[in-house]
Amino acid sequence: MRHFYVKSTKGMTSGEFNINDTAGSAGRLDIIARCVNAAFWISHSLRTDVVFHTILFGPPNSPIYIKIVGKKLRKVQPDERNISIFLKKAIERFEEDRVVETTPGIFASRKTFEDVIEEYKDCDFYLLGEDGSDISDCDVSENAFFILGDKEDLVDEEVAILEKHGAKKVSLGKISYLTSHCIGFLNVYLDRKN
Amino acid sequence: MRHFYVKSTKGMTSGEFNINDTAGSAGRLDIIARCVNAAFWISHSLRTDVVFHTILFGPPNSPIYIKIVGKKLRKVQPDERNISIFLKKAIERFEEDRVVETTPGIFASRKTFEDVIEEYKDCDFYLLGEDGSDISDCDVSENAFFILGDKEDLVDEEVAILEKHGAKKVSLGKISYLTSHCIGFLNVYLDRKN
């Protein structure tokens, strides 16, 4: 299984945003939508071996953890607007004390970053950043769990949690890329290695 | 300079579509918008060494050729909706007998595929497809011009034009990827080689 986690630093935790303004009023949920596209879509199909994770840290009800499971995902189209509609449903259907499958393959619940990392502690964690070892020097495992920021990097406390779990810092080069482009590159790069 | 051409098989050639339905009424202009995002954006900046080309072949006024020049591009945001707004402006401001800079860095005119290839005949053409030589076996030149389909491949007449100009067939692997993901991968792959 291949995991991607993207932190949504300002992603709104109420569904009361304008679906036509996800780059504004929704706290850059457009970034998360593009990452979901990059994580799952291939031509005429979805990657069934990918799980995508995000935690929305924006107001008014953070953190909301959203998990998207490729092999269960249904109905979603690859365009940003359609993916955003499903993210909005996940936020609206979130409930405080249980995991809700808000639409097929999409799950919302109350979890912290530490909860998520702890739950997947058997994976091998890779923190993306320009100061890491080049991806070509990393022997990426079958059970890789990649961690990425959105427009902002992870904070020190989150990096410390990852370090405790043996995360390796990995770089795609000296250029700083959009998070969605990192995910898209990693998917094709890993396909080509296997 | 790095060029990407994406054929828009059904892209509408009238601006009378709903900007909230680019995946439907606009003839899959959502695909073109995602390709533009993949072609130009890096974190906090745009690639100034990229030119993006598309020809819209949908009704009612095809073909409309749109060229986007990275070093002149201004005002556009990376989200699909915003890019689509600029594509819509390009279509609306198109004029029959001249090249119109519809917004900074975006140019619309009446050109056929053959016109475009002829204009860029000094470039080295690479036709993307699963049956090509693997990209790692290709010595991609500094003046590369990549040609991609959208949901549909190029037709035989277009492939013949490319063959006449010495195009090489290039593959990213056995999996068929979304066009935008091919562009995103190529950008990072070529950055890493240089």
Side-chain angles (χ1 to χ4, degrees):
Chain A
M1 205 58 75
R2 197 181 286 172
H3 297 264
F4 296 101
Y5 167 87
V6 179
K7 178 178 183 177
S8 178
T9 312
K10 294 179 178 169
M12 278 281 283
T13 47
S14 145
E16 296 191 2
F17 57 81
N18 181 350
I19 200 73
N20 296 329
D21 184 34
T22 51
S25 62
R28 298 309 307 268
L29 280 184
D30 64 314
I31 295 175
I32 302 301
R34 284 196 292 282
C35 290
V36 171
N37 167 291
F40 291 109
W41 268 267
I42 49 177
S43 201
H44 309 295
S45 186
L46 290 171
R47 293 179 183 271
T48 53
D49 62 340
V50 166
V51 180
F52 179 86
H53 313 254
T54 185
I55 300 179
L56 313 179
F57 287 101
N61 189 27
S62 71
I64 292 181
Y65 166 57
I66 296 175
K67 178 166 80 168
I68 308 180
V69 178
K71 71 178 174 195
K72 296 183 176 176
L73 193 59
R74 300 284 180 277
K75 300 183 183 178
V76 189
Q77 298 298 314
D79 59 290
E80 239 173 84
R81 183 183 167 82
N82 193 270
I83 294 169
S84 298
I85 288 169
F86 281 82
L87 293 173
K88 194 169 190 281
K89 285 180 186 171
I91 298 163
E92 287 167 346
R93 295 174 185 177
F94 161 83
E95 292 179 27
E96 187 60 49
D97 293 315
R98 66 184 194 96
V99 178
V100 183
E101 186 167 9
T102 55
T103 51
I106 304 184
F107 302 83
S109 60
R110 179 76 79 202
K111 274 187 187 164
T112 66
F113 182 65
E114 189 162 20
D115 292 337
V116 175
I117 298 304
E118 191 64 35
E119 183 175 342
Y120 288 91
K121 64 185 176 192
D122 293 335
C123 291
D124 297 299
F125 296 105
Y126 302 90
L127 174 59
L128 267 281
E130 294 90 61
D131 59 343
S133 307
D134 190 79
I135 183 81
S136 63
D137 297 326
C138 297
D139 193 17
V140 176
S141 77
E142 285 291 298
N143 214 13
F145 195 120
F146 294 96
I147 315 278
L148 304 97
D150 54 355
K151 276 178 79 70
E152 293 176 42
D153 291 333
L154 271 63
V155 295
D156 291 346
E157 291 77 3
E158 291 164 327
V159 174
I161 291 165
L162 289 171
E163 282 173 350
K164 198 179 92 183
H165 286 84
K168 290 173 190 145
K169 286 192 178 175
V170 175
S171 165
L172 303 184
K174 286 173 190 159
I175 297 173
S176 178
Y177 296 110
L178 298 195
T179 309
S180 54
H181 296 181
C182 294
I183 292 172
F185 178 83
L186 282 167
N187 264 334
V188 180
Y189 179 89
L190 294 173
D191 293 343
R192 289 170 57 80
K193 280 197 80 167
N194 296 335
Chain B
M1 205 58 75
R2 197 181 287 172
H3 297 264
F4 297 101
Y5 167 87
V6 179
K7 179 177 183 177
S8 177
T9 311
K10 295 179 178 167
M12 278 281 282
T13 48
S14 144
E16 297 190 0
F17 57 81
N18 181 350
I19 200 73
N20 296 330
D21 184 34
T22 52
S25 62
R28 297 311 307 270
L29 281 185
D30 64 314
I31 296 176
I32 302 300
R34 283 196 291 281
C35 290
V36 171
N37 168 290
F40 291 109
W41 268 267
I42 50 179
S43 200
H44 309 296
S45 187
L46 290 170
R47 292 179 184 272
T48 54
D49 63 339
V50 166
V51 180
F52 179 86
H53 313 253
T54 184
I55 300 179
L56 313 179
F57 287 100
N61 188 27
S62 71
I64 291 181
Y65 167 56
I66 297 175
K67 178 166 80 167
I68 308 181
V69 178
K71 70 179 172 192
K72 296 182 176 176
L73 192 59
R74 299 284 179 279
K75 299 183 183 177
V76 189
Q77 298 297 314
D79 59 290
E80 242 174 83
R81 181 183 168 84
N82 192 269
I83 295 169
S84 298
I85 288 170
F86 282 83
L87 293 173
K88 194 169 190 278
K89 285 181 187 172
I91 298 162
E92 285 167 346
R93 295 175 185 178
F94 162 83
E95 291 178 29
E96 187 62 53
D97 293 316
R98 64 184 195 97
V99 178
V100 183
E101 187 167 7
T102 55
T103 51
I106 304 185
F107 302 84
S109 60
R110 178 78 79 203
K111 276 188 186 162
T112 66
F113 181 64
E114 188 160 21
D115 293 336
V116 175
I117 298 304
E118 190 63 36
E119 184 176 339
Y120 288 91
K121 64 185 175 192
D122 294 334
C123 292
D124 297 300
F125 295 105
Y126 301 89
L127 174 58
L128 268 281
E130 295 89 61
D131 59 343
S133 307
D134 191 79
I135 185 79
S136 62
D137 296 327
C138 296
D139 192 15
V140 176
S141 78
E142 285 290 298
N143 214 14
F145 196 120
F146 294 96
I147 315 276
L148 304 97
D150 54 352
K151 276 179 77 75
E152 294 176 42
D153 291 334
L154 270 62
V155 296
D156 290 347
E157 291 77 1
E158 293 166 325
V159 175
I161 291 165
L162 289 172
E163 284 173 348
K164 199 178 91 182
H165 285 85
K168 291 175 188 140
K169 287 193 179 174
V170 175
S171 166
L172 303 184
K174 286 173 188 157
I175 296 174
S176 179
Y177 296 110
L178 298 195
T179 308
S180 54
H181 296 180
C182 293
I183 292 173
F185 178 82
L186 281 167
N187 264 334
V188 180
Y189 180 88
L190 294 173
D191 294 341
R192 291 171 56 80
K193 280 196 80 167
N194 295 335

